[in-house]
Amino acid sequence: QQGQSQLDQKKLYNQNSEKMSDRIHTFGDMRNNAGNNNRGGRPAGGGSGPSGGQQGQSQPLIAGRISNPRNETFWDMLKFNFCPTFSIRSFIFIVSILDIVMYIATLAYDGVDKEGDFLEPTNKALDKFGQKDPYKMKHDPEQVYRWFMPMFLHEGLAHIMFNLISQMIFGFWFEALVGTVRVAAVYLVGGIGGILFSALVSNSNSVGASTAIFAILGGMLAWLLLNWFYLDPNIRCQMSCILIVVLLLNFLFTLGATNVDNYGHLGGLMTGFFVGLSVLKYPPGEINMFGLPIPQYQDPHANPDRKWEKYWQISGYVCSFMFYVGGFVLFYTVRHPDE
């Protein structure tokens, strides 16, 4: 009888444990299954209203697919917390690999600068691979590659690590949201715009993906502005606060630094915003990289006749055209960079 009693208690304990495990919800329970049996987790798309959630519940804009947390590896934890939308088929992943390859190539070409920072390529190697040099960019037409190669070069291990982390955190999320073509346009065109702006006002040589990263931040600002009335109010607040804090911290920490190209950062942010206004407006029924419709929150207080959105798009095209055409004309006619 005592043995039977212990067996019954063990069964009761196991049953209670199963019930408790069904009630506990963690980050792993956010796994998206297109709305079927979500067990209390949240879907990948977000927003409130008919297409974003039930009974006005605020939902996250994007949540990556993730396994049960009880079976997670350390890599799964890092991916979910820092890059939940990580994908090796994404544009950001390809660009990040290219950054690493170019960094290794510059080190292999001429070794390490013994007087520089840790694992810093020599100036000879960076110049050979196409760092921003306004004098050579103007007086040698064959070196047109200097308008885009600086985005893929870095001057030290700390430099490339910081840029890669920033690029992946913001880039993967943004690409999952707006698509590969759009994020590639903002990254590349905005990055070149940052180099152009820096070449117009500064004689210094520089390298780094920072111009393109700031272009992504500018594109995020444009996306937020264009789609303001389609976003859940909580998401508007979260994104606005994140962008403001990130931009303020970046400019405050780099203000006055002699080895940071702040003109390139500012130019990338500005041109990324212009390009973003041009290409980041969602048409109805847009599908994200998870194959799911992007949530559309309808603000009950918004004017349904949103002609101003078209005006913003038109202004984006006009400003982009004027900046690039005017910038290159000024550089090759009026600008006289020092050697």
Side-chain angles (χ1 to χ4, degrees):
Q1 291 180 353
Q2 184 178 0
Q4 183 65 32
S5 176
Q6 291 179 350
L7 184 62
D8 292 340
Q9 290 179 0
K10 187 175 182 180
K11 284 184 178 180
L12 182 61
Y13 174 79
N14 291 335
Q15 290 175 359
N16 290 334
S17 298
E18 291 177 0
K19 290 179 181 179
M20 288 297 295
S21 64
D22 288 337
R23 293 175 185 174
I24 296 175
H25 301 299
T26 64
F27 285 118
D29 296 322
M30 295 173 68
R31 182 178 182 178
N32 174 50
N33 55 6
N36 296 324
N37 299 324
N38 201 18
R39 294 184 60 189
R42 293 182 176 181
S48 59
S51 59
Q54 298 296 330
Q55 298 177 353
Q57 182 184 9
S58 176
Q59 303 286 354
L61 196 59
I62 278 188
R65 298 169 185 260
I66 191 166
S67 61
N68 190 311
R70 297 162 184 80
N71 300 323
E72 281 180 6
T73 63
F74 180 72
W75 167 250
D76 292 331
M77 181 274 293
L78 289 178
K79 176 183 175 183
F80 180 77
N81 285 283
F82 294 101
C83 296
T85 55
F86 174 87
S87 172
I88 61 174
R89 294 175 296 177
S90 66
F91 169 79
I92 294 297
F93 180 80
I94 294 172
V95 169
S96 299
I97 293 297
L98 181 59
D99 290 340
I100 297 172
V101 170
M102 293 302 297
Y103 175 66
I104 295 174
T106 54
L107 288 175
Y109 177 78
D110 194 42
V112 177
D113 188 350
K114 296 180 180 179
E115 298 181 357
D117 295 332
F118 183 63
L119 292 180
E120 178 179 338
T122 63
N123 188 68
K124 176 183 175 181
L126 293 176
D127 184 68
K128 183 68 175 179
F129 279 81
Q131 69 178 353
K132 191 209 83 178
D133 186 332
Y135 183 83
K136 293 180 180 179
M137 292 161 76
K138 178 169 183 177
H139 294 94
D140 190 350
E142 294 183 359
Q143 299 196 29
V144 66
Y145 57 87
R146 292 185 185 272
W147 288 110
F148 58 88
M149 281 303 298
M151 288 188 289
F152 309 110
L153 302 174
H154 293 84
E155 60 178 13
L157 182 63
H159 188 205
I160 189 173
M161 289 297 294
F162 182 81
N163 278 351
L164 284 177
I165 291 172
S166 301
Q167 181 170 279
M168 288 190 291
I169 289 176
F170 295 109
F172 279 125
W173 181 86
F174 199 47
E175 183 173 356
L177 193 63
V178 304
T180 298
V181 174
R182 290 188 179 99
V183 83
V186 172
Y187 186 97
L188 296 174
V189 180
I192 294 173
I195 296 170
L196 173 59
F197 187 80
S198 177
L200 282 171
V201 298
S202 171
N203 292 322
S204 64
N205 300 343
S206 62
V207 294
S210 302
T211 57
I213 295 171
F214 271 85
I216 288 181
L217 295 175
M220 293 172 71
L221 283 172
W223 177 86
L224 185 63
L225 178 64
L226 280 174
N227 301 281
W228 185 264
F229 291 108
Y230 295 117
L231 298 176
D232 183 280
N234 291 330
I235 294 174
R236 297 177 195 168
C237 180
Q238 292 169 7
M239 285 198 62
S240 300
C241 291
I242 290 173
L243 288 174
I244 291 172
V245 170
V246 168
L247 292 174
L248 282 178
L249 288 177
N250 271 280
F251 282 115
L252 286 175
F253 280 116
T254 59
L255 191 64
T258 57
N259 61 339
V260 177
D261 188 3
N262 282 309
Y263 294 115
H265 295 176
L266 181 60
L269 179 68
M270 182 171 56
T271 51
F273 181 75
F274 293 156
V275 176
L277 288 178
S278 306
V279 302
L280 295 181
K281 180 70 181 73
Y282 282 141
E286 186 79 10
I287 303 297
N288 65 17
M289 71 182 297
F290 297 112
L292 299 170
I294 291 170
Q296 300 237 331
Y297 170 83
Q298 297 296 333
D299 192 328
H301 304 292
N303 184 356
D305 185 17
R306 300 180 183 131
K307 292 183 179 180
W308 61 272
E309 293 176 353
K310 295 182 179 179
Y311 297 151
W312 274 115
Q313 285 185 284
I314 294 172
S315 68
Y317 284 114
V318 172
C319 290
S320 298
F321 179 81
M322 292 178 62
F323 174 83
Y324 286 100
V325 173
F328 281 114
V329 169
L330 287 173
F331 182 80
Y332 285 108
T333 57
V334 178
R335 178 86 163 94
H336 299 289
D338 298 332
E339 185 173 1

